[in-house]
mmCIF file of all heavy atoms in Angstrom:
data_model
loop_
_atom_site.group_PDB
_atom_site.id
_atom_site.type_symbol
_atom_site.label_atom_id
_atom_site.label_comp_id
_atom_site.label_asym_id
_atom_site.label_seq_id
_atom_site.Cartn_x
_atom_site.Cartn_y
_atom_site.Cartn_z
ATOM 1 N N LEU A 83 38.750 23.098 -73.048
ATOM 2 C CA LEU A 83 37.814 23.609 -72.032
ATOM 3 C C LEU A 83 36.996 22.455 -71.465
ATOM 4 O O LEU A 83 36.489 22.540 -70.366
ATOM 5 C CB LEU A 83 36.965 24.575 -72.711
ATOM 6 C CG LEU A 83 37.720 25.857 -73.036
ATOM 7 C CD1 LEU A 83 36.790 26.781 -73.780
ATOM 8 C CD2 LEU A 83 38.125 26.609 -71.900
ATOM 9 N N LYS A 87 37.592 23.290 -67.795
ATOM 10 C CA LYS A 87 36.344 24.013 -67.377
ATOM 11 C C LYS A 87 36.596 25.489 -67.333
ATOM 12 O O LYS A 87 35.884 26.200 -66.549
ATOM 13 C CB LYS A 87 35.852 23.419 -66.042
ATOM 14 C CG LYS A 87 35.477 21.970 -66.040
ATOM 15 C CD LYS A 87 34.366 21.653 -67.037
ATOM 16 C CE LYS A 87 34.007 20.175 -66.944
ATOM 17 N NZ LYS A 87 33.205 19.711 -68.033
ATOM 18 N N GLY A 88 37.779 26.012 -67.988
ATOM 19 C CA GLY A 88 37.869 27.471 -67.955
ATOM 20 C C GLY A 88 38.570 27.897 -66.560
ATOM 21 O O GLY A 88 38.425 28.979 -66.218
ATOM 22 N N ALA A 89 39.437 26.964 -66.030
ATOM 23 C CA ALA A 89 39.956 27.299 -64.796
ATOM 24 C C ALA A 89 40.763 28.553 -64.778
ATOM 25 O O ALA A 89 40.969 29.118 -63.659
ATOM 26 C CB ALA A 89 40.843 26.095 -64.317
ATOM 27 N N CYS A 90 41.417 29.047 -65.803
ATOM 28 C CA CYS A 90 42.144 30.214 -65.783
ATOM 29 C C CYS A 90 41.266 31.476 -65.468
ATOM 30 O O CYS A 90 41.849 32.508 -65.179
ATOM 31 C CB CYS A 90 42.966 30.405 -67.124
ATOM 32 S SG CYS A 90 41.825 30.517 -68.601
ATOM 33 N N CYS A 91 40.007 31.291 -65.553
ATOM 34 C CA CYS A 91 39.214 32.465 -65.226
ATOM 35 C C CYS A 91 38.846 32.527 -63.790
ATOM 36 O O CYS A 91 38.147 33.542 -63.232
ATOM 37 C CB CYS A 91 37.880 32.382 -65.950
ATOM 38 S SG CYS A 91 37.861 32.589 -67.726
ATOM 39 N N VAL A 92 39.385 31.430 -63.011
ATOM 40 C CA VAL A 92 39.033 31.478 -61.581
ATOM 41 C C VAL A 92 40.391 31.303 -60.677
ATOM 42 O O VAL A 92 40.350 31.763 -59.669
ATOM 43 C CB VAL A 92 37.894 30.276 -61.177
ATOM 44 C CG1 VAL A 92 38.507 29.002 -61.517
ATOM 45 C CG2 VAL A 92 37.536 30.431 -59.843
ATOM 46 N N GLU A 150 36.461 33.730 -59.058
ATOM 47 C CA GLU A 150 36.114 33.847 -60.476
ATOM 48 C C GLU A 150 36.253 35.400 -60.790
ATOM 49 O O GLU A 150 35.903 36.305 -59.935
ATOM 50 C CB GLU A 150 34.747 33.529 -60.758
ATOM 51 C CG GLU A 150 34.324 32.068 -60.509
ATOM 52 C CD GLU A 150 33.771 31.690 -59.232
ATOM 53 O OE1 GLU A 150 34.116 32.435 -58.273
ATOM 54 O OE2 GLU A 150 33.005 30.648 -59.124
ATOM 55 N N CYS A 151 36.825 35.616 -62.049
ATOM 56 C CA CYS A 151 36.855 37.038 -62.517
ATOM 57 C C CYS A 151 35.443 37.434 -62.650
ATOM 58 O O CYS A 151 34.608 36.637 -62.997
ATOM 59 C CB CYS A 151 37.465 36.905 -63.912
ATOM 60 S SG CYS A 151 37.251 38.593 -64.822
ATOM 61 N N SER A 154 33.555 36.610 -65.700
ATOM 62 C CA SER A 154 33.380 35.201 -66.215
ATOM 63 C C SER A 154 32.067 34.757 -65.899
ATOM 64 O O SER A 154 31.356 35.186 -64.819
ATOM 65 C CB SER A 154 34.451 34.366 -65.570
ATOM 66 O OG SER A 154 34.253 34.304 -64.159
ATOM 67 N N VAL A 155 31.551 33.856 -66.812
ATOM 68 C CA VAL A 155 30.209 33.246 -66.502
ATOM 69 C C VAL A 155 30.251 31.719 -66.864
ATOM 70 O O VAL A 155 30.991 31.347 -67.752
ATOM 71 C CB VAL A 155 29.144 33.957 -67.531
ATOM 72 C CG1 VAL A 155 28.801 35.402 -66.903
ATOM 73 C CG2 VAL A 155 29.598 33.955 -68.840
ATOM 74 N N TYR A 156 29.464 31.006 -66.043
ATOM 75 C CA TYR A 156 29.477 29.582 -66.396
ATOM 76 C C TYR A 156 28.365 29.282 -67.524
ATOM 77 O O TYR A 156 27.401 29.897 -67.545
ATOM 78 C CB TYR A 156 29.038 28.776 -65.118
ATOM 79 C CG TYR A 156 30.099 28.778 -64.042
ATOM 80 C CD1 TYR A 156 30.066 29.597 -63.123
ATOM 81 C CD2 TYR A 156 31.113 27.783 -64.206
ATOM 82 C CE1 TYR A 156 31.145 29.566 -62.053
ATOM 83 C CE2 TYR A 156 32.087 27.631 -63.213
ATOM 84 C CZ TYR A 156 32.111 28.669 -62.092
ATOM 85 O OH TYR A 156 33.065 28.521 -61.272
ATOM 86 N N ASP A 157 28.727 28.266 -68.350
ATOM 87 C CA ASP A 157 27.738 27.913 -69.263
ATOM 88 C C ASP A 157 26.962 26.593 -68.834
ATOM 89 O O ASP A 157 27.239 26.258 -67.607
ATOM 90 C CB ASP A 157 28.305 27.675 -70.692
ATOM 91 C CG ASP A 157 29.283 26.451 -70.825
ATOM 92 O OD1 ASP A 157 29.392 25.639 -69.815
ATOM 93 O OD2 ASP A 157 29.948 26.305 -71.872
ATOM 94 N N GLY A 160 28.899 23.946 -67.313
ATOM 95 C CA GLY A 160 29.788 24.230 -66.072
ATOM 96 C C GLY A 160 31.219 24.817 -66.590
ATOM 97 O O GLY A 160 32.094 24.782 -65.686
ATOM 98 N N ILE A 161 31.334 25.295 -67.766
ATOM 99 C CA ILE A 161 32.583 25.731 -68.189
ATOM 100 C C ILE A 161 32.480 27.235 -68.108
ATOM 101 O O ILE A 161 31.652 27.981 -68.519
ATOM 102 C CB ILE A 161 32.816 25.254 -69.677
ATOM 103 C CG1 ILE A 161 32.994 23.837 -69.793
ATOM 104 C CG2 ILE A 161 34.144 25.974 -70.251
ATOM 105 C CD1 ILE A 161 33.014 23.361 -71.214
ATOM 106 N N LEU A 162 33.672 27.912 -67.527
ATOM 107 C CA LEU A 162 33.757 29.364 -67.482
ATOM 108 C C LEU A 162 34.178 29.909 -68.724
ATOM 109 O O LEU A 162 35.000 29.395 -69.366
ATOM 110 C CB LEU A 162 34.729 29.752 -66.319
ATOM 111 C CG LEU A 162 34.265 29.787 -64.800
ATOM 112 C CD1 LEU A 162 35.367 29.937 -64.028
ATOM 113 C CD2 LEU A 162 33.274 30.913 -64.821
ATOM 114 N N GLY A 163 33.594 30.950 -69.080
ATOM 115 C CA GLY A 163 33.814 31.801 -70.227
ATOM 116 C C GLY A 163 33.820 33.187 -69.837
ATOM 117 O O GLY A 163 33.394 33.687 -68.835
ATOM 118 N N CYS A 164 34.167 34.110 -70.895
ATOM 119 C CA CYS A 164 34.139 35.547 -70.650
ATOM 120 C C CYS A 164 32.908 36.187 -71.110
ATOM 121 O O CYS A 164 32.429 36.067 -72.280
ATOM 122 C CB CYS A 164 35.353 36.075 -71.441
ATOM 123 S SG CYS A 164 35.448 37.857 -71.215
#
Side-chain angles (χ1 to χ4, degrees):
L83 294 172
K87 305 292 186 196
C90 59
C91 294
V92 67
E150 294 96 331
C151 172
S154 66
V155 290
Y156 287 96
D157 70 10
I161 298 172
L162 272 172
C164 181

